[in-house]
Amino acid sequence: MKNICVFCGSSPGTDPRFMEEAVRCGTLIAQAGLTLVYGGGKVGLMGAVADAALAAGGRVLGVMPEDLVNAEIAHRGLTELHVVQSMHERKLRMADLSDAFLCLPGGPGTFEEIFEQWTWALLGIHAKPCGFVNVSGYYDLTRETIQKMADNGFIGQPYVDMLIYADGTAEALDAFRGYVAPPPKWSTANPRP
Ligand code: AMP
């Protein structure tokens, strides 16, 4: 595991613990000798993770679509800023560059990004871990909703259990190191019903 992708809010959120964890997250990733991959912005939790990783001497790769360079204020102090054509290209580039996906609190963009990587993982498009840092219980209801998917027969329990929930970034990074991917949803181990 070399590159960790962090998805998080382009806003700071209202609970000060969100920002505190974002700073801790960037710092820990850098101190662990890992490279941070993220959306490339200077604002909200995104900017805080990147600033903290850089301040701790880490490498930070940002990936941003042209249209958002001004709106999300591209961070100009990154190790590399990849400016791409579209949001789809951004997400693919971030996925290709990363070995694991960590989700801090955030809004619709954050949810979309982590759910995309989780669905790719369960389809076997990649075998990389996905985790939530559940600051202040922010992802409690998400976890319940995901369990409901299995309880109602839309996914198997292994695809619920493959998701990591941690109280903090340090715990999530430990869980990533021990991660074993389940067999893909439509593999011979799990034939299509
Ligand atoms: P948010 O969590 O909504 O503050 O957004 C976090 C990041 O996700 C930002 O870099 C947004 O540009 C990005 N984002 C917003 N909407 C989408 C979307 N529909 N698909 C993928 N990423 C998005």
Side-chain angles (χ1 to χ4, degrees):
M1 190 169 73
K2 290 192 183 127
N3 294 359
I4 305 287
C5 182
V6 174
F7 299 130
C8 61
S10 55
S11 307
T14 51
D15 186 333
R17 283 172 291 190
F18 298 155
M19 192 55 95
E20 285 164 22
E21 188 57 39
V23 171
R24 205 155 32 233
C25 176
T27 306
L28 282 169
I29 287 173
Q31 286 174 347
L34 300 164
T35 295
L36 169 68
V37 177
Y38 86 117
K42 211 172 163 32
V43 289
L45 300 187
M46 293 171 67
V49 178
D51 283 339
L54 290 167
R59 273 171 52 80
V60 182
L61 313 182
V63 186
M64 192 172 255
E66 258 173 4
D67 293 355
L68 285 185
V69 164
N70 293 324
E72 287 185 358
I73 315 175
H75 197 307
R76 298 296 179 180
L78 304 179
T79 316
E80 288 175 23
L81 177 66
H82 299 218
V83 179
V84 295
Q85 295 295 311
S86 68
M87 191 65 96
H88 282 106
E89 203 185 326
R90 176 201 228 180
K91 293 188 297 171
L92 185 59
R93 179 79 59 90
M94 289 169 81
D96 285 344
L97 285 170
S98 306
D99 302 308
F101 304 97
L102 186 60
C103 187
L104 300 184
T110 303
F111 273 69
E112 203 270 350
E113 290 168 327
I114 192 69
F115 271 75
E116 178 173 65
Q117 290 315 315
W118 174 46
T119 55
W120 288 12
L122 67 86
L123 289 170
I125 295 171
H126 64 69
K128 304 170 185 176
C130 297
F132 293 92
V133 181
N134 193 18
V135 186
S136 300
Y138 186 72
Y139 285 113
D140 285 351
L141 288 176
T142 307
R143 191 173 192 172
E144 267 184 48
T145 301
I146 289 171
Q147 183 57 50
K148 213 168 191 172
M149 293 176 189
D151 295 346
N152 285 274
F154 288 107
I155 48 169
Q157 191 62 37
Y159 307 113
V160 175
D161 297 340
M162 71 195 277
L163 289 172
I164 289 156
Y165 296 87
D167 290 335
T169 300
E171 191 192 320
L173 293 180
D174 279 348
F176 282 170
R177 290 191 184 95
Y179 177 75
V180 179
K185 192 174 167 194
W186 305 127
S187 68
T188 44
N190 281 317
R192 191 182 278 272

